[in-house]
Amino acid sequence: MGKKKRFTTFLGSVFDNQVPLLVKIVGVLTVLSLIVPILTSPHVYFESFYFKGLVFQLLTELMFAGWILLLVTKPNYRPQWRHPVVLGLLLITLAMLIALPFALDPTYSFWSRPGRMAGVVNYLHYFAWLLVVVSTFRSVRSFRPLVAVSCVTAVAAGLVGIVTWISQPDELVLSTLNNSSFFGSYMMTHVFLAAWLWTGNRATWSRVVAISTVIIGSCSVILSGSRGAVLVLGISALVVGFIFFIMSTISRTRKVIIVVILSSLAMVLIGSIIVLRLPSMQEWGEDHLPLSVERIVYRQFGQDRWVLWKLALQGIAERPVFGWGAEQYELMHYKYFDPTSIDKAVLNERFADRAHNQYLDVLIASGAVGLLAYLFFLGAIGWAILIAWRRTVQVDKRKSIILAGTILLGYVVYSFFMFDTPAVLIATFLGFALIGAYYTETTGSTVTADISGSLKLNQIVVPVGLLFVLVVWLVNAGPAYKLYQLKDAYREVSINRSLALEKYQRAFSGYNPYLQEFRLLGLRSLQTWAENVSLHSSQMEALLRFMSTELIAAAEERSYNIRFQLAAAAVHRLLSAYEPEMLVVADAYTQQALIDGHNRFDPYFELGEIAMMRSEADEALKYFRLAEERMPILNREQHAYAYFRQACAQAMKCDAVAARRSFETALHFDEAEILTYETYKDTRLAIAIGNSCGIDPNFNWYIPELDKLLVVFPDHPTLLTAAARIYKAGGMYDRTAEMLKRLHERHPEEADQLAEELGFFRQVE
């Protein structure tokens, strides 16, 4: 058979002329859903989760609607209730729904939040996708084009990551998933899929895709620095190699040679790691090895995981049967987190909302009920592999079943170190559907559910269409439109704050299951300008008053969550710049948050900020230090912010030496990691120096940083005032005059008063 004919036959395994139109539509939608992980957009919030999850859910809803119509006319596409994969899906879905009413906040657990997309409704989409695929594509042959498409997508993501690494070798590879661990686990899964694709098909292009995916996928896993993914690849290769070795018919001599070669390679690898970890070699390794390899070799494996797991087990013991509900790990974590223990020395998450162990995450979300169903689901996939293997006689086909089984093995092992993410679930569920096809083929199972009776297609097209439109609007289109409105309002804050208020009002009105999270995002956008930049105006006051009303409602609706109490405190603190009495309200919300979150650092941060508003520098320093004591040591971003705010409090006391020490420490953290607090975009230290200390030459060390600030904010009136004083103290009279001139263009009276204060009596024009 020629290459062109083989290629045509390969594609035709799904889309041939004998296949019903609805199946072709489902097939096209399945292919499109496999491309989702590589999609990216800088124009939306949370592109790693929300954007990909939104597109995937829309495609899944279309697939499900088409499949429902297909069930009526084609009984052989109806679900096989005795199929292990279908039974597992039914049980895990039932368990999730049973546990949901017992959640701490059932609404939040159902919808999750845009930044995670891991609520019950999101998992229902993944389950629906798997049900449709395993019911529609029942031959192993039909999965080859699907796996090939998924592998090509992974190769594209891998190439993006490798090209990025070439230009930035000192960074971990994120690719289109914007997270090195997510990227590593996604590529790891495709190494397994590609290994299966290699078997049973001699088409050249198919093998090119397979070998390209294995090579690029393996390199990507290493470059991602994901130790769990590297470990799982090694374990899977060892298990599969051992099984293939036993099944092999080669001579005993060759087997011995292979064992010696592989053992030698393993010893060289392990020996290299041992040598690199020697104290005499560690400094060299940290200086010369790529960051990803350095992370794999030197970072203590599992220390942070043990802490997270220990805290998770304490929370599970409190609510063992139905759990806390999805997305509730954060509350449970800080309930048991001890800031005086070694815990904070190994944790490195900026915020803890996952146990980084899928089994524990399931226990937290839905208790023993959910975990038993989850284990049954995985066991059902394993049972399907076992039955298919036992009923297969051909050695080559048995080997392909074993390779398909590595997808389950990889997921089961990796789930001990990581949680589910959209991209990985799509690839993994494709593998599970493939395993389901092996079971269907080898058992010859054709028992389907009679769920349509005597219904005709034209009788259900309209109801299914209307239901589809309703689900799309409620689950995807409606929230997506609100998120677009929110981002549009955020952009307007820096341009036209009056218009921003109107846009925020529209974004917060009407149906929105993520309203509470949107309120937090809205405050964050205002904090950038009202707090970090310290811009004050009547328009900003109106925005803050509107946001205070929204956050009061949010704090009441989610009174159990201190994030909303602290958000209400923050917005009232910002309002105190216009109405000082609001500090009392801010303090009340913070004290309430402190009752439930005394082990967290953020309530102490807020108390420090309130003290700063009251010009109580010593009190602010005390709280900023208390906050810092409760931070995980490896949380560099928050440490940078803590030292920066300590520098501001020390500048308020005109303690130039201490302020410089704190500021330089903040810069050290800022330079050490890409995701750190950007001190050069915060005007508060400059304003504290200029307004509190007047003309003090002891702060001349800050002038280079002030120059950077003025590039970002050249027309900020309060900053210009502070800058004029700082430059005057440093003897930079031309720069002082320039600041006065800029200020005079916008606020002539203030400029004249400042010029007189500084001794610049000539007219500033």
Side-chain angles (χ1 to χ4, degrees):
M1 184 184 294
K3 292 181 181 179
K4 183 176 180 180
K5 188 171 182 180
R6 281 204 301 268
F7 180 74
T8 305
T9 303
F10 188 70
L11 292 178
S13 59
V14 175
F15 307 116
D16 60 35
N17 293 329
Q18 304 302 316
V19 175
L21 176 62
L22 283 171
V23 176
K24 293 180 180 179
I25 292 173
V26 171
V28 170
L29 293 170
T30 304
V31 167
L32 292 175
S33 65
L34 295 173
I35 302 173
V36 165
I38 203 173
L39 299 180
T40 183
S41 172
H43 304 296
V44 296
Y45 284 116
F46 315 115
E47 59 177 305
S48 298
F49 283 92
Y50 186 71
F51 179 66
K52 290 177 174 60
L54 173 69
V55 176
F56 176 78
Q57 289 181 174
L58 282 169
L59 292 169
T60 299
E61 288 154 11
L62 280 167
M63 285 173 60
F64 197 80
W67 180 66
I68 291 295
L69 297 177
L70 184 65
L71 303 185
V72 176
T73 56
K74 302 291 181 181
N76 53 314
Y77 290 104
R78 294 170 189 169
Q80 305 173 53
W81 297 135
R82 296 179 184 176
H83 195 293
V85 178
V86 176
L87 284 173
L89 282 173
L90 289 175
L91 186 61
I92 196 171
T93 301
L94 184 63
M96 273 192 169
L97 295 176
I98 289 174
L100 181 62
F102 298 94
L104 195 63
D105 185 342
T107 302
Y108 183 44
S109 294
F110 182 78
W111 288 105
S112 181
R113 54 195 170 96
R116 281 300 188 195
M117 298 290 280
V120 173
V121 69
N122 309 115
Y123 270 99
L124 290 178
H125 280 78
Y126 292 110
F127 297 158
W129 187 89
L130 179 54
L131 178 63
V132 171
V133 174
V134 81
S135 300
T136 305
F137 306 108
R138 299 188 176 184
S139 69
V140 173
R141 181 170 172 262
S142 65
F143 275 89
R144 295 201 176 276
L146 299 178
V147 172
V149 168
S150 194
C151 285
V152 170
T153 303
V155 167
L159 290 174
V160 170
I162 291 171
V163 170
T164 304
W165 176 78
I166 291 172
S167 61
Q168 300 174 346
D170 294 330
E171 303 293 343
L172 294 176
V173 177
L174 312 179
S175 189
T176 58
L177 301 181
N178 293 324
N179 183 290
S180 59
S181 295
F182 302 166
F183 176 58
S185 55
Y186 176 69
M187 299 306 292
M188 173 199 74
T189 306
H190 278 88
V191 171
F192 302 141
L193 287 169
W196 173 83
L197 186 61
W198 176 269
T199 63
N201 192 297
R202 298 183 180 276
T204 303
W205 75 270
S206 174
R207 296 207 161 186
V208 168
V209 170
I211 195 66
S212 300
T213 307
V214 170
I215 294 172
I216 294 174
S218 300
C219 292
S220 298
V221 168
I222 295 172
L223 292 177
S224 72
S226 175
R227 296 158 298 162
V230 171
L231 178 65
V232 171
L233 273 184
I235 292 174
S236 300
L238 185 65
V239 171
V240 172
F242 179 74
I243 295 173
F244 278 23
F245 188 75
I246 294 174
M247 296 174 63
S248 175
T249 57
I250 63 175
S251 66
R252 182 176 298 179
T253 303
R254 288 188 176 182
K255 286 185 177 181
V256 171
I257 293 173
I258 292 172
V259 169
V260 170
I261 293 173
L262 292 178
S263 299
S264 300
L265 289 173
M267 290 175 65
V268 169
L269 178 62
I270 295 171
S272 299
I273 294 175
I274 292 173
V275 170
L276 286 170
R277 288 180 64 89
L278 292 174
S280 59
M281 289 294 296
Q282 185 163 344
E283 184 177 350
W284 179 90
E286 291 175 346
D287 291 338
H288 294 86
L289 291 176
L291 179 61
S292 55
V293 178
E294 178 195 332
R295 189 172 188 265
I296 293 170
V297 172
Y298 293 115
R299 188 168 171 184
Q300 296 299 319
F301 187 79
Q303 271 194 338
D304 54 343
R305 298 296 195 263
W306 284 117
V307 173
L308 292 170
W309 299 349
K310 178 188 69 175
L311 298 174
L313 289 171
Q314 289 178 269
I316 290 165
E318 183 176 339
R319 298 174 68 118
V321 181
F322 298 108
W324 294 68
E327 299 294 340
Q328 300 295 349
Y329 175 84
E330 182 183 10
L331 296 177
M332 184 217 69
H333 173 93
Y334 284 107
K335 182 174 182 178
Y336 297 102
F337 174 70
D338 181 3
T340 64
S341 71
I342 195 174
D343 295 356
K344 71 172 187 175
V346 296
L347 293 177
N348 66 334
E349 299 294 324
R350 286 186 293 159
F351 55 90
D353 66 346
R354 289 292 185 276
H356 284 260
N357 178 307
Q358 184 60 24
Y359 306 101
L360 293 180
D361 279 326
V362 171
L363 268 170
I364 293 163
S366 48
V369 171
L371 181 64
L372 289 173
Y374 180 64
L375 294 176
F376 179 87
F377 171 65
L378 296 178
I381 306 294
W383 177 255
I385 295 171
L386 179 62
I387 294 300
W389 190 83
R390 292 182 62 182
R391 297 196 179 191
T392 300
V393 178
Q394 299 175 355
V395 175
D396 287 345
K397 193 171 182 180
R398 277 191 162 191
K399 288 182 177 179
S400 67
I401 292 173
I402 291 170
L403 288 173
T406 59
I407 300 164
L408 174 64
L409 174 64
Y411 177 78
V412 167
V413 177
Y414 193 68
S415 292
F416 281 100
F417 313 108
M418 194 57 180
F419 50 89
D420 288 340
T421 58
V424 176
L425 275 180
I426 294 170
T428 301
F429 277 18
L430 176 64
F432 289 175
L434 167 63
I435 292 168
Y438 272 112
Y439 177 87
T440 301
E441 275 194 356
T442 54
T443 60
S445 176
T446 57
V447 179
T448 59
D450 184 12
I451 58 177
S452 63
S454 59
L455 286 175
K456 303 298 181 184
L457 185 62
N458 59 359
Q459 293 177 306
I460 66 167
V461 168
V462 173
V464 169
L466 291 175
L467 183 61
F468 165 75
V469 172
L470 179 63
V471 171
V472 166
W473 174 254
L474 292 177
V475 178
N476 297 297
Y481 179 61
K482 289 298 177 183
L483 192 60
Y484 166 78
Q485 288 182 319
L486 180 67
K487 188 155 190 178
D488 190 35
Y490 172 79
R491 286 193 296 264
E492 209 65 52
V493 170
S494 61
I495 303 169
N496 185 336
R497 280 178 270 282
S498 296
L499 184 58
L501 176 58
E502 297 177 16
K503 292 187 175 183
Y504 272 121
Q505 289 170 335
R506 286 197 293 269
F508 290 168
S509 64
Y511 167 76
N512 184 1
Y514 303 121
L515 176 60
Q516 311 306 341
E517 298 298 322
F518 280 23
R519 285 166 165 164
L520 291 181
L521 287 172
L523 172 64
R524 207 169 300 159
S525 68
L526 295 187
Q527 280 182 294
T528 301
W529 297 96
E531 184 169 23
N532 299 16
V533 184
S534 302
L535 275 179
H536 300 144
S537 66
S538 58
Q539 294 88 352
M540 180 62 75
E541 180 185 3
L543 273 169
L544 290 170
R545 290 195 182 279
F546 167 74
M547 203 63 67
S548 69
T549 303
E550 295 293 323
L551 286 168
I552 287 172
E556 291 175 355
E557 291 178 30
R558 290 196 180 165
S559 57
Y560 65 88
N561 192 326
I562 73 166
R563 286 195 301 145
F564 293 91
Q565 306 297 323
L566 291 174
V571 73
H572 284 91
R573 170 172 54 80
L574 295 176
L575 262 177
S576 69
Y578 308 92
E579 186 179 343
E581 293 78 11
M582 287 295 176
L583 274 181
V584 177
V585 181
D587 189 64
Y589 275 113
T590 309
Q591 294 297 338
Q592 180 60 45
L594 198 60
I595 294 173
D596 299 324
H598 61 279
N599 284 340
R600 293 180 61 140
F601 60 83
D602 31 5
Y604 295 95
F605 253 140
E606 187 58 35
L607 288 172
E609 298 292 358
I610 291 172
M612 290 289 283
M613 294 295 292
R614 289 172 172 156
S615 298
E616 298 171 353
D618 288 326
E619 195 77 358
L621 275 172
K622 179 185 75 172
Y623 286 123
F624 289 145
R625 286 166 180 162
L626 285 171
E628 188 195 351
E629 289 172 3
R630 285 160 173 75
M631 288 178 195
I633 290 175
L634 299 178
N635 190 333
R636 308 188 71 88
E637 181 174 6
Q638 292 294 347
H639 277 288
Y641 182 73
Y643 278 106
F644 178 80
R645 292 305 283 150
Q646 287 179 49
C648 294
Q650 288 154 346
M652 188 179 286
K653 296 172 60 180
C654 298
D655 188 343
V657 175
R660 182 174 188 174
R661 188 187 312 117
S662 296
F663 182 70
E664 288 177 348
T665 305
L667 288 182
H668 166 73
F669 281 108
D670 194 44
E671 292 169 355
E673 189 172 320
I674 190 170
L675 292 175
T676 49
Y677 184 70
E678 297 174 315
T679 53
Y680 69 94
K681 292 184 179 179
D682 196 316
T683 65
R684 287 176 290 179
L685 179 54
I687 292 171
I689 294 171
N691 289 353
S692 299
C693 305
I695 305 172
D696 187 345
N698 292 318
F699 283 96
N700 289 351
W701 55 265
Y702 185 70
I703 288 176
E705 300 301 324
L706 178 61
D707 293 338
K708 297 177 187 177
L709 263 180
L710 288 165
V711 172
V712 182
F713 307 109
D715 304 319
H716 188 316
T718 312
L719 179 61
L720 290 174
T721 300
R725 293 188 177 117
I726 295 171
Y727 284 131
K728 173 68 186 304
M732 303 175 67
Y733 301 114
D734 290 341
R735 290 289 282 162
T736 305
E738 183 185 345
M739 298 301 105
L740 290 169
K741 182 177 180 180
R742 290 189 197 177
L743 184 62
H744 192 274
E745 291 172 354
R746 291 157 185 81
H747 303 280
E749 292 184 6
E750 292 181 20
D752 289 341
Q753 291 175 5
L754 183 60
E756 184 175 353
E757 173 194 328
L758 299 178
F760 276 66
F761 298 109
R762 56 194 174 89
Q763 184 178 2
V764 179
E765 296 180 357

